[in-house]
Amino acid sequence: MGGAVRDILLGRPVKDFDFVIEGLVRPVGKKLADLLHGKYYVLDDERDMVRVIFSPGTRNFHCIDLAQINGATIEEDLFGRDFTINAIAIDFMEKNSIIDPMGGANDLKEKRLRMCNLESLNNDPLRGMRSIRMAIELELEMDPPLINALHELSSQLDKSSMERYRDELFKILSVGKPNISVQLLDKYRFLDHLFAEKKQLELPVLAEQLRKTEMLLKTVAAPFDEAQSSNLIAGLTVLKLGKYRDALTKFYEKDDSNLQERKAIVFYTLIASQFGQASTAEKRLDQNSRRLVLSTALISLGKKRCLVPGVDYLAKAENLANFDMYKFLENMKAAGIDGILLSLAVDPAIDSPAFEPSFLAKNWINVRC
């Protein structure tokens, strides 16, 4: 049920499956984990929800969540969910019949994002961030009640844990379009809650830097695209990188953890280093990362990114031999590559006429959200 059914209807690959069952959940979860040779753990002790992960630690991992039915009927359970497109179920006991009491399939067809009920966001404020991710990822238009609820949500944000907001933030950044994401997160006051400090950069400047970062990633670390490479700047970049482009693509496809994708962490580094009163980007990033309860390893890696010298320094340094670059990357490791890319993105001397016009992003936000 939920997002898995939605993705099946869209013809998208499914990684996460949600099942509701009658009766005891934990014995079923343990048995399923044994059969799939997966990992089992309790997701929510109070609500008796468990998770089974198989093929963990690989990009082919799958996740199965099991929970008791919430309510007397499956329809009642679906009514309490977040959005209608996630409130569709398949009844495996009744010839795989579709259960769609709120018209989620039609909303999906019409590219519309609606709450299941008017208290949906108040019941779980994290759903507000999730609505931003879904609107961007699936190119959906939020309906007026959802937009109104988002505007009124800021006083309720303390109801959800910072760890949950952190994980949702990385999911949003993993979708792409980080420039649009940061503007929507600001529009509905989520950035104020996540970082609780003033911005060092004006939002349009930060959004532009995020857009340039994403386009640089698409240029230097993505499969060959003939249309993109027909542009002079992008084409010269691809030609110059040559065989190293495949290595960079693999590097940015690698996960730093099971939860955060590397590209999302790069976007996060740029955002989190711009919020706070601290005097340096490194200190601001450290404070924000601790607030969001990031792992020690990710905090350390992020701080290293901020210490990477600007690309202009590396380009102009006299007698910068291959050995010097080797020592630099050996010392900075993965953070060195990320740091060089970020220094390119924030360099005001580097213009990007090949990138899509910013006004498209602005219009998308105003029309759909």
Side-chain angles (χ1 to χ4, degrees):
M1 65 187 304
V5 180
R6 176 201 69 219
D7 288 343
I8 290 171
L9 293 175
L10 289 173
R12 291 156 52 97
V14 180
K15 291 280 189 180
D16 300 318
F17 297 87
D18 294 324
F19 290 88
V20 294
I21 59 177
E22 295 178 340
L24 298 175
V25 171
R26 300 187 192 203
V28 176
K30 290 177 180 177
K31 182 67 173 178
L32 186 62
D34 290 340
L35 290 172
L36 296 174
H37 304 290
K39 293 184 177 181
Y40 160 90
Y41 61 93
V42 176
L43 190 64
D44 189 321
D45 189 57
E46 183 178 341
R47 292 188 291 176
D48 200 22
M49 296 175 63
V50 304
R51 173 167 291 174
V52 175
I53 298 178
F54 57 99
S55 298
T58 72
R59 298 190 69 84
N60 295 318
F61 80 94
H62 286 74
C63 177
I64 299 174
D65 289 346
L66 302 170
Q68 281 190 334
I69 190 169
N70 184 21
T73 64
I74 186 63
E75 288 80 7
E76 188 176 335
D77 183 292
L78 293 171
F79 182 77
R81 296 194 169 241
D82 51 8
F83 307 107
T84 60
I85 62 171
N86 292 337
I88 312 170
I90 297 175
D91 189 343
F92 292 103
M93 304 300 292
E94 294 291 338
K95 298 181 179 179
N96 296 339
S97 60
I98 297 289
I99 304 172
D100 184 14
M102 284 165 286
N106 187 63
D107 283 341
L108 202 57
K109 180 180 178 181
E110 298 295 329
K111 310 291 284 185
R112 180 171 53 234
L113 188 59
R114 287 193 302 127
M115 297 181 292
C116 289
N117 61 81
L118 293 178
E119 293 300 314
S120 178
L121 299 196
N122 287 331
N123 290 338
D124 184 359
L126 182 76
R127 291 171 172 176
M129 283 186 70
R130 189 180 301 153
S131 72
I132 291 173
R133 170 166 58 90
M134 298 185 68
I136 295 172
E137 183 176 12
L138 302 178
E139 298 183 342
L140 305 177
E141 183 173 345
M142 297 177 179
D143 75 341
L146 173 55
I147 293 174
N148 291 337
L150 281 167
H151 279 299
E152 297 172 359
L153 192 60
S154 59
S155 63
Q156 306 292 320
L157 296 182
D158 285 335
K159 288 183 178 179
S160 295
S161 71
M162 196 59 75
E163 290 91 338
R164 293 183 69 211
Y165 285 120
R166 172 204 64 204
D167 291 346
E168 187 60 44
L169 173 63
F170 279 104
K171 288 180 181 179
I172 291 173
L173 296 177
S174 294
V175 169
K177 301 180 183 176
N179 56 319
I180 297 176
S181 299
V182 76
Q183 291 178 79
L184 288 175
L185 289 168
D186 182 74
K187 179 177 181 178
Y188 296 119
R189 306 287 299 277
F190 286 106
L191 291 183
D192 292 341
H193 181 70
L194 291 171
F195 303 116
E197 292 282 1
K198 72 173 186 178
K199 293 184 285 292
Q200 297 293 320
L201 286 177
E202 293 296 326
L203 188 69
V205 177
L206 177 58
E208 180 67 10
Q209 290 182 354
L210 286 165
R211 186 178 67 86
K212 288 174 67 177
T213 303
E214 181 178 37
M215 294 308 296
L216 281 167
L217 281 166
K218 288 181 178 179
T219 301
V220 305
F224 179 79
D225 185 326
E226 183 176 355
Q228 182 194 67
S229 297
S230 63
N231 170 268
L232 178 61
I233 296 174
L236 289 173
T237 302
V238 171
L239 183 64
K240 188 72 173 177
L241 286 170
K243 63 181 180 180
Y244 301 110
R245 197 162 185 254
D246 288 339
L248 284 168
T249 300
K250 292 179 181 178
F251 174 77
Y252 279 105
E253 285 180 350
K254 178 184 176 183
D255 290 349
D256 273 300
S257 74
N258 289 330
L259 291 176
Q260 291 94 19
E261 292 186 356
R262 184 167 200 90
K263 290 180 183 179
I265 294 173
V266 172
F267 298 142
Y268 166 79
T269 300
L270 183 55
I271 296 169
S273 63
Q274 296 299 335
F275 283 81
Q277 303 288 347
S279 58
T280 66
E282 177 193 0
K283 291 180 179 178
R284 292 192 292 269
L285 181 62
D286 179 72
Q287 291 173 357
N288 287 321
S289 297
R290 294 183 189 282
R291 176 179 172 81
L292 291 175
V293 203
L294 264 68
S295 70
T296 302
L298 286 181
I299 291 175
S300 176
L301 189 62
K303 290 164 66 176
K304 268 193 169 184
R305 289 188 187 95
C306 294
L307 294 174
V308 172
V311 72
D312 56 339
Y313 166 81
L314 293 172
K316 296 174 183 176
E318 295 182 5
N319 302 319
L320 189 63
N322 289 339
F323 178 74
D324 297 317
M325 283 303 299
Y326 170 81
K327 292 298 293 182
F328 163 74
L329 290 173
E330 176 67 19
N331 178 50
M332 303 303 292
K333 298 191 184 305
I337 298 174
D338 295 337
I340 291 173
L341 182 134
L342 285 171
S343 69
L344 277 168
V346 303
D347 190 337
I350 298 176
D351 199 3
S352 51
F355 297 170
E356 80 278 7
S358 297
F359 73 86
L360 290 178
K362 181 179 179 181
N363 289 343
W364 190 93
I365 291 171
N366 289 336
V367 171
R368 294 185 176 271
C369 307

